[in-house]
Amino acid sequence: TKRVRGVSVYRPFVFGSEAQPFDPKSRPPNAPPDHTHQWRVFVKGVNGEDITYWLRKVQFKLHETYAQSVRTIEQPPFEVTETGWGEFEIQIKLYFVPESTEKPQTLWHSLKLHPYGDDIEGKRERREKVVSQNYEEVIFNEPVEQFYDVLTGG
Ligand code: SLL
């Protein structure tokens, strides 16, 4: 398969996490007693854009304190919702559509559970959602022709 020489194609996406302390009056019934937060880690398109034309699946590797710490998500939404007590680094592996012939790319996200900045106490009391997300671009350098067509809608 031929590559498109001298061309790089950039595709934007967003990845990150959202976390919220349990409501003391209604903890999730199945949450272990030491868990304090519900959280979600995700990979998604910018403004809800469908990115499945280049992203095939996402593998999230959680802390080894989690049962089945490797979670593979094969269709959108590419996300994992969990409960827990601690912050840790999540390994996120992006797998591209087969016609791309691209190797998976790995990124890391620091799961944030706790608010920071001004008014930490107030934020805690209001159980404010803690959002930590990044805009990122995947770069496909000299994509194979069949994938270049997919990427550019040709
Ligand atoms: C810490 N280095 O000590 C981190 C580890 C681990 C978080 C955080 C619960 C897992 C379970 C959980 O929140 N693990 O279901 O037991 O802060």
Side-chain angles (χ1 to χ4, degrees), residues 55 57-60 91-95 104-107:
L55 187 62
K57 67 175 179 183
V58 179
Q59 192 189 76
F60 298 92
Q91 189 199 67
I92 301 175
K93 207 164 165 184
L94 306 180
Y95 290 82
Q105 289 187 27
T106 299
L107 42 130

Side-chain angles (χ1 to χ4, degrees), residues 14-150:
V14 176
F15 71 101
S17 59
E18 286 185 1
Q20 201 170 22
F22 294 153
D23 179 345
K25 291 184 287 279
S26 63
R27 292 169 49 88
N30 304 320
D34 58 338
H35 286 198
T36 53
H37 289 70
Q38 178 154 71
W39 54 261
R40 186 169 69 89
V41 58
F42 54 82
V43 174
K44 62 186 184 187
V46 179
N47 296 323
E49 189 206 4
D50 181 10
I51 53 176
T52 57
Y53 65 97
W54 58 265
L55 187 62
R56 165 72 189 82
K57 67 175 179 183
V58 179
Q59 192 189 76
F60 298 92
K61 201 169 180 183
L62 311 181
H63 194 264
E64 61 263 16
T65 47
Y66 282 90
Q68 286 111 29
S69 59
V70 179
R71 311 284 175 89
T72 305
I73 310 300
E74 306 247 6
Q75 63 279 308
F78 298 108
E79 61 179 43
V80 171
T81 299
E82 261 297 353
T83 63
W85 51 264
E87 301 183 333
F88 58 93
E89 297 285 312
I90 300 177
Q91 189 199 67
I92 301 175
K93 207 164 165 184
L94 306 180
Y95 290 82
F96 305 109
V97 294
E99 60 264 46
S100 72
T101 72
E102 296 281 337
K103 288 195 201 69
Q105 289 187 27
T106 299
L107 42 130
W108 292 86
H109 175 69
S110 302
L111 173 65
K112 280 200 56 62
L113 301 184
H114 305 295
Y116 60 97
D118 295 338
D119 189 27
I120 292 186
E121 268 324 307
K123 288 176 181 174
R124 235 175 241 147
E125 258 150 49
R126 295 189 297 273
R127 300 192 311 110
E128 270 178 29
K129 198 181 270 183
V130 174
V131 180
S132 170
Q133 59 179 16
N134 303 279
Y135 175 95
E136 190 53 89
E137 283 177 341
V138 62
I139 308 171
F140 299 111
N141 287 315
E142 305 199 328
V144 294
E145 277 179 352
Q146 60 208 10
F147 187 40
Y148 180 81
D149 291 343
V150 167

